[in-house]
């Protein structure tokens, strides 16, 4: 097992250090190698995704990624910005399925801005397609002003596009995930989110997903418009089991879903290719406002490492051990600042990592 460790910028280095600490405490045999990515790589090598980092990622079974970005890079040309590193890794590794579980830990029910009854016991999975849609459609660009004004553009355009194989591929992933969850007690339902009332691309999406759904008679399928899905996620989130959607709607809905449980510091994510090679990262960014203070919550990254063990490295037992340890630590009342409430014990980033290691038993 080879893991590429890409901590990135801001709190990335602090939280990834804790996840690596937990991985080393598991008595697993794995190789790991660390490389620069994002702003840190730009500063050292003039590019957010240097060739050496990409090579390492491609040659590994999995990538454990922290976060990238800082406001100081906002004036760089787009291809040199830290966030481009993620797009480059997704593209080169062929990562097409993004998994974002939104799970409400019982001890953190009070941290949500929603009423406890709405989110207590919440366990849903948002699956976002990563390679198609308006983010990668051609043509795209800006048109100069018809009166000859230049460089001021008069209009800009991005083309929404999905191919049948792309939709089929992500639909299979969603149905198979729903099937797996069903064996563990979930409802066995896929909700496909689209905008088929307005967009041709999403009428096509709906048709293709329905067709694929016929191969999974044990899994219920329903379709929902994205505006309604955004509303239902806060009105009645527990009505969902697995949600599957395109790149742009998924970008927005997965962030919305991740906040249902109250803290962005708790939510892991996985992006997988067809060989189960994956990139694992917390759902949050590099949090420059708290970087270097030792107060960032490392649990999302530690839980991402658990997803990595389960999905890419076939170490289900080790993944379970991490997830159980995180629950134990929360039950002990240990909290980083972002999830702190009265009556609990405030701890820093590395103390939280140490507590998870101890709770592994
Ligand atoms: P952010 O997620 O970094 O931070 C939002 C808020 O949440 C901040 O107040 C931050 O302090 C807090 N927060 C985030 N993670 C936390 C943690 N683990 N523990 C405690 N608090 C936490 O989003 P932002 O401020 O919009 O973006 C900051 C930078 O991160 C930008 O440069 C942005 O482009 C980048 N970004 C990167 C990724 C990524 O690497 N995948 C994702 C989103 C944003």
């Amino acid at each position: 097992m080879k893991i590429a460790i890409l901590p990135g910028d801001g709190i990335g280095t602090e939280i990834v250090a804790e996840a690596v600490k937990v991985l080393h405490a598991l008595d697993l045999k794995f190789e790991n190698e660390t490389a620069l990515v994002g702003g840190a790589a730009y500063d050292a090598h003039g590019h957010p995704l240097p060739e050496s980092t990409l090579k390492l990622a491609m040659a590994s079974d999995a990538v454990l990624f922290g976060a990238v970005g800082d406001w100081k890079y906002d004036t760089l040309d787009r291809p040199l910005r830290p966030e481009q590193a993620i797009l480059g890794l997704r593209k080169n590794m062929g990562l097409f399925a993004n998994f974002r579980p939104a799970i409400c830990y019982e001890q953190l029910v009070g941290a949500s801005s929603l009423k406890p009854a709405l989110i207590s016991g919440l366990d849903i999975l948002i699956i976002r397609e990563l390679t198609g849609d308006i983010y990668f459609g051609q043509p795209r660009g800006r048109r100069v002003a018809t009166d000859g004004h230049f460089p001021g553009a008069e209009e800009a355009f991005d083309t929404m596009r999905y191919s049948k194989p792309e939709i089929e591929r992500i639909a299979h992933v969603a149905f198979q995930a729903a099937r797996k969850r069903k064996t563990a007690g979930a409802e066995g339902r896929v909700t496909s989110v689209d905008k088929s009332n307005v967009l041709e691309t999403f009428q096509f999406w709906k048709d293709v997903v329905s067709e694929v759904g016929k191969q999974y008679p044990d899994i219920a399928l329903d379709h929902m418009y994205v505006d309604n899905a955004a509303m239902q996620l806060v009105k009645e989130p527990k009505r969902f089991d697995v949600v599957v959607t395109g790149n742009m709607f998924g970008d927005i809905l997965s962030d919305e879903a991740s906040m249902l449980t109250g803290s962005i510091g708790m939510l892991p994510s996985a992006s997988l290719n067809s060989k189960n090679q994956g990139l694992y990262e917390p759902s949050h960014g590099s949090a420059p406002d708290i970087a270097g203070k030792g107060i960032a919550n490392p649990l999302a990254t530690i839980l991402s490492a658990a997803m990595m063990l389960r999905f890419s490295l076939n170490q289900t037992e080790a993944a379970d051990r991490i997830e159980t340890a995180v629950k134990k630590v929360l039950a002990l009342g240990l909290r980083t600042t972002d999830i702190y409430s009265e009556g609990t014990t405030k701890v820093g980033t590395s103390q939280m990592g140490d507590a998870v290691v101890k709770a592994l038993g």
Side-chain angles (χ1 to χ4, degrees):
M1 294 190 290
K2 182 162 179 177
I3 306 171
I5 312 278
L6 309 184
D9 306 319
I11 60 169
T13 47
E14 302 164 46
I15 53 181
V16 167
E18 299 312 311
V20 171
K21 195 194 271 181
V22 172
L23 285 171
H24 281 302
L26 284 168
D27 302 325
L28 294 172
K29 280 211 171 71
F30 65 90
E31 266 180 65
N32 64 302
E33 196 178 328
T34 304
L36 293 176
V37 73
Y42 173 79
D43 290 342
H45 303 291
H47 197 280
L49 183 59
E51 199 55 42
S52 53
T53 301
L54 180 59
K55 250 189 172 163
L56 170 70
M58 305 278 285
S60 303
D61 298 302
V63 176
L64 185 63
F65 191 94
V68 292
D70 191 289
W71 317 126
K72 72 179 178 182
Y73 302 108
D74 280 358
T75 52
L76 288 176
D77 285 347
R78 195 166 297 283
L80 294 178
R81 293 206 197 155
E83 293 77 7
Q84 293 297 315
I86 305 174
L87 297 182
L89 284 165
R90 278 184 195 154
K91 188 164 172 236
N92 284 284
M93 293 173 73
L95 306 173
F96 70 92
N98 180 237
F99 285 62
R100 289 252 202 127
I103 295 171
C104 183
Y105 290 91
E106 228 32 60
Q107 296 84 1
L108 297 181
V109 162
S112 173
S113 50
L114 297 187
K115 290 185 192 123
L118 285 183
I119 53 139
S120 173
L122 181 79
D123 179 355
I124 63 177
L125 174 65
I126 311 276
I127 299 181
R128 166 188 173 196
E129 203 289 329
L130 283 180
T131 62
D133 207 343
I134 200 157
Y135 292 0
F136 299 103
Q138 297 295 336
R140 62 196 314 205
R142 296 181 206 183
R143 286 205 180 98
V144 289
T146 43
D147 61 3
H149 280 200
F150 193 80
E154 283 285 284
E155 65 171 7
F157 51 95
D158 300 272
T159 308
M160 181 173 274
R161 176 170 285 160
Y162 259 118
S163 71
K164 192 172 177 192
E166 278 172 334
I167 304 170
E168 285 173 340
R169 185 171 69 164
I170 196 74
H172 281 294
V173 166
F175 284 110
Q176 281 161 20
R179 196 174 259 176
K180 234 186 212 171
R181 286 166 58 89
K182 194 174 176 183
T183 59
E187 188 192 349
R189 171 181 299 278
V190 169
T191 302
S192 170
V193 172
D194 64 54
K195 189 72 184 169
S196 56
N197 49 343
V198 179
L199 299 169
E200 279 305 313
T201 311
F202 274 95
Q203 181 60 55
F204 183 55
W205 169 283
K206 186 175 178 178
D207 295 348
V208 176
V209 173
S210 301
E211 205 48 46
V212 172
K214 290 182 189 157
Q215 297 174 44
Y216 300 86
D218 52 322
I219 303 299
L221 169 66
D222 53 20
H223 302 274
M224 195 180 276
Y225 297 141
V226 63
D227 38 350
N228 187 23
M231 190 172 75
Q232 296 301 332
L233 269 174
V234 285
K235 185 168 173 255
E236 200 189 340
K238 283 190 269 186
R239 67 177 288 153
F240 296 106
D241 177 3
V242 173
V243 174
V244 64
T245 189
N247 206 345
M248 184 167 64
F249 299 157
D251 191 1
I252 300 163
L253 293 183
S254 60
D255 261 28
E256 186 189 1
S258 66
M259 274 318 291
L260 294 175
T261 59
S263 175
I264 194 136
M266 292 298 302
L267 296 151
S269 82
S271 301
L272 297 172
N273 67 16
S274 50
K275 292 178 291 187
N276 278 341
Q277 191 190 24
L279 182 142
Y280 298 84
E281 59 176 332
S283 296
H284 58 73
S286 56
D289 53 333
I290 58 165
K293 295 188 179 160
I295 58 170
N297 186 347
L299 293 179
T301 316
I302 290 171
L303 291 166
S304 300
M307 283 182 95
M308 173 178 81
L309 291 169
R310 177 168 293 119
F311 288 119
S312 287
L313 305 177
N314 265 325
Q315 300 288 335
T316 311
E317 206 178 301
D320 289 345
R321 274 182 76 196
I322 294 183
E323 285 161 0
T324 306
V326 167
K327 283 184 196 148
K328 271 192 204 161
V329 162
L330 292 174
L332 286 172
L334 303 184
R335 304 281 189 273
T336 41
T337 313
D338 57 312
I339 49 174
Y340 175 77
S341 59
E342 235 180 61
T344 60
T345 310
K346 204 181 274 187
V347 294
T349 310
S350 67
Q351 281 169 292
M352 189 57 112
D354 291 343
V356 174
V357 167
K358 203 167 159 204
L360 287 173

